[in-house]
Amino acid sequence: MTIKVIEAKEDKITTADLINEIKKSQKIDYSGAIFTFEGIVRGKEENMNLKKLILTTPDKNKTQKEIEKIVENTKIKYNVHEISVIHYVGEFYTGDMLFLVAVLGAHRKETLDALKEVIESVKYNVEFKKEEISDEGTKTILAGG
């Protein structure tokens, strides 16, 4: 299981890396599903063409611990074997990876449900500041915390 909050300029961990790592679980023989999610930067909104996005969190260690708690609670709730999460912070452009999740479970229903729960819980309950910089100006969005 890998849970990290990483600066965008650091080495990249990809969805394939998470899948390869999660397949090394001792519970792989009891598993029948892996679901993944790769959140990327969207370049266009209704009235905006994004130039760049800056994503920050006030305390990376605290953020990582909050994500670890979400993962542990979700593993218990859905009885899945492994959950790995990578969340990048820093400066991003269209198509860049922001948020990766991989879940290993015995069956597809609870594995997919666990994936959805991690995505939504991190999005709404962990403190991030997103600045969308476009031709129209800068839009700031605060989440979680």
Side-chain angles (χ1 to χ4, degrees):
M1 177 172 71
T2 299
I3 301 170
K4 292 183 179 179
V5 177
I6 301 174
E7 291 288 334
K9 60 185 173 260
E10 292 179 20
D11 288 339
K12 295 287 187 211
I13 296 173
T14 66
T15 303
D17 295 331
L18 288 186
I19 291 169
N20 288 334
E21 184 241 331
I22 216 165
K23 283 183 173 181
K24 294 175 185 173
S25 169
Q26 293 180 344
K27 296 188 179 184
I28 193 69
D29 287 342
Y30 302 97
S31 301
I34 295 174
F35 280 98
T36 62
F37 172 79
E38 183 171 322
I40 64 171
V41 176
R42 183 176 38 248
K44 294 192 180 284
E45 291 285 342
E46 193 172 303
N47 296 314
M48 180 189 70
N49 292 315
L50 187 76
K51 286 185 173 180
K52 71 178 172 180
L53 181 142
I54 300 171
L55 186 68
T56 58
T57 188
D59 182 339
K60 279 185 6 182
N61 291 330
K62 180 181 176 211
T63 297
Q64 184 163 322
K65 287 185 186 343
E66 290 171 349
I67 294 171
E68 289 170 358
K69 186 174 181 182
I70 289 168
V71 164
E72 286 306 313
N73 290 339
T74 303
K75 280 177 68 176
I76 292 165
K77 180 176 179 179
Y78 292 99
N79 195 29
V80 294
H81 303 311
E82 300 288 343
I83 301 174
S84 290
V85 176
I86 302 296
H87 209 305
Y88 289 100
V89 293
E91 186 173 297
F92 303 92
Y93 300 89
T94 301
D96 285 350
M97 295 182 299
L98 289 174
F99 180 37
L100 308 175
V101 183
V103 182
L104 175 72
H107 303 283
R108 67 183 175 270
K109 182 181 181 336
E110 64 266 17
T111 306
L112 182 57
D113 289 344
L115 175 72
K116 291 176 185 177
E117 180 133 336
V118 169
I119 293 166
E120 296 305 313
S121 294
V122 170
K123 178 175 176 115
Y124 293 109
N125 299 323
V126 179
E127 189 173 0
F128 286 103
K129 177 182 173 185
K130 181 166 68 169
E131 294 177 87
E132 296 175 337
I133 300 162
S134 69
D135 294 331
E136 294 77 24
T138 299
K139 178 180 174 185
T140 301
I141 302 165
L142 302 175

